[in-house]
Amino acid sequence: MPVLVLGGLIALGELAPGAGFLALGLCLAAGLSLAWYWLAGVMRLNAALRRAAEEQGPFSAPLPAPRLPAIGEIEEGLARLTRSLQNRAALVVQLRAADEAIVEALPDPLIVLAADRAPLRANRAARRLFGLVGEGLARGDLAALLRHPVMAAALDRCLAENTPQPVELALPGAVTRDLSGQVLLMQPPLADGGRLVIMLTDRSAARAVERMRVDFVTNASHELRTPLASVMGFIETLRGPARDDPAAQERFLGIMAEQSERMRRLIDDLLGLSRVEMSEHQPPDGEAELTALLRAEAAAMEPLYAARGIRLVLALPEAPLTARPADADQLGQVARNLLDNALRHAQAEVRLTAEPARLGAREGVAFTVRDDGPGIAQEHIPRLTERFYRVDKGRGRGAGNTGLGLAIVKHILTRHRGQLVIESALGAGSGFRVWVPGA
Ligand SMILES: Nc1ncnc2c1ncn2[C@@H]1O[C@H](COP(=O)(O)OP(=O)(O)O)[C@@H](O)[C@H]1O
Ligand SMILES: [Mg+2]
């Protein structure tokens, strides 16, 4: 504008051309330098904005102060904005890493699926459950889980209704898995495209314990019901048909006494077992001298052995064998149960031996009850310590057995951090070796 005014004045002859052109030149120079200042400032702003957009943060080395103070202020504002953007980006990365770590460490299996149900992610518990190592999620049991009708239906419903769907299913396999859990729809989808999340709990172990408890109660009542029914039957007979038959009465009373004795034994063993189980998690704090303890138990059994014509041979060392920490009463019961079994199965002889023994690096003492009976077939050996497990049900019951003796032995040895080793083969007799810590 001033240039136009000056030009006009010169053209109209109102201004001397010399002074007029000088003023014109000065005006132009001032305008250009002002424009240059601004342009430089705007270019700096432009560069700063670009860095902010690329999340590079403000310039590391401070620039020389801009020539225009207004530009300086805008630059500073931009730098602050860039820094806060950068912090926020770092926070997002950190939060995501924390989320991943938490999901990975969850004790329960968690699986993330895309909208097309392709598995995207499985946490550690899920990989362990489905035996997945490394990549390749769409394999084996996981694929079977996703195909399972219950799971497929839950995924359908979840996608259609967008509400969490409970699932409860038994996944067949080498071992059947009882799984329960939930299917969730992610709205909006996860960063990796995850649309569906399956959260599971493996209830197999809990179910097995539940089943065992139910089995136990069923077994215990069944075992008690049989002798009880027989006693009740004989009472009926004694009241009715055998009322005037002293010989039959004598015989029936004998059987009734036997059956009552069996019930007493069973109740004793059940109570013994539950006592042992209760103390199982509390280690013993006393000690027991094994040779004296075994001699005493053998002496107490001697009459029973004599009655059946079985020899009980003791081969115990002179030096004392101390079990420690130990519960002498419980170790006595272990010896009693083993000597009782041996007596029941032996043909002519039972040997009782004891010696100091190591188990790995642990010092301890051991004793063995060995009989010359029929022996035990290999497939039964691992199961002998189960409650109510008897190799020959019919014969065992006839002999008044409860099938609880070895279960009690096992629990006592667990409490002692000890070990029971059964060595037997059909036709070769049986050896039951007990090891407990000591010196
Ligand atoms: N010395 C042995 N020889 C052969 N079989 C044995 C011997 N000891 C135990 N068994 C088998 O193990 C089973 C379980 O023993 P146990 O738990 O003591 O119960 P129980 O003696 O009441 O039957 C017995 O029924 C028997 O079949
Ligand atoms: Mg027994």
Side-chain angles (χ1 to χ4, degrees), residues 234 237-238 242-258:
F234 283 121
T237 318
L238 288 176
R243 187 192 295 269
D244 304 313
D245 183 347
Q249 281 177 3
E250 186 64 23
R251 200 158 55 82
F252 293 161
L253 283 173
I255 301 174
M256 286 166 73
E258 224 170 72

Side-chain angles (χ1 to χ4, degrees), residues 3-24:
V3 171
L4 283 180
V5 172
L6 282 172
L9 287 176
I10 293 170
L12 292 175
E14 295 284 323
L15 208 68
F21 281 118
L22 185 65
L24 205 77

Side-chain angles (χ1 to χ4, degrees), residues 265 269 337-338 340-346 369 371 373-376 384-386 388-392 395-396 400-408 424 429-432:
R265 241 184 108 121
D269 280 356
N337 289 2
L338 294 181
D340 177 64
N341 283 351
L343 167 62
R344 218 187 288 277
H345 295 93
V369 179
D371 66 62
I376 307 159
L384 291 184
T385 54
E386 284 174 25
F388 299 114
Y389 192 84
R390 283 175 297 228
V391 174
D392 182 343
R395 218 181 49 185
N401 291 5
T402 62
L404 293 173
L406 290 177
I408 293 174
S424 183
S430 314
F432 289 75

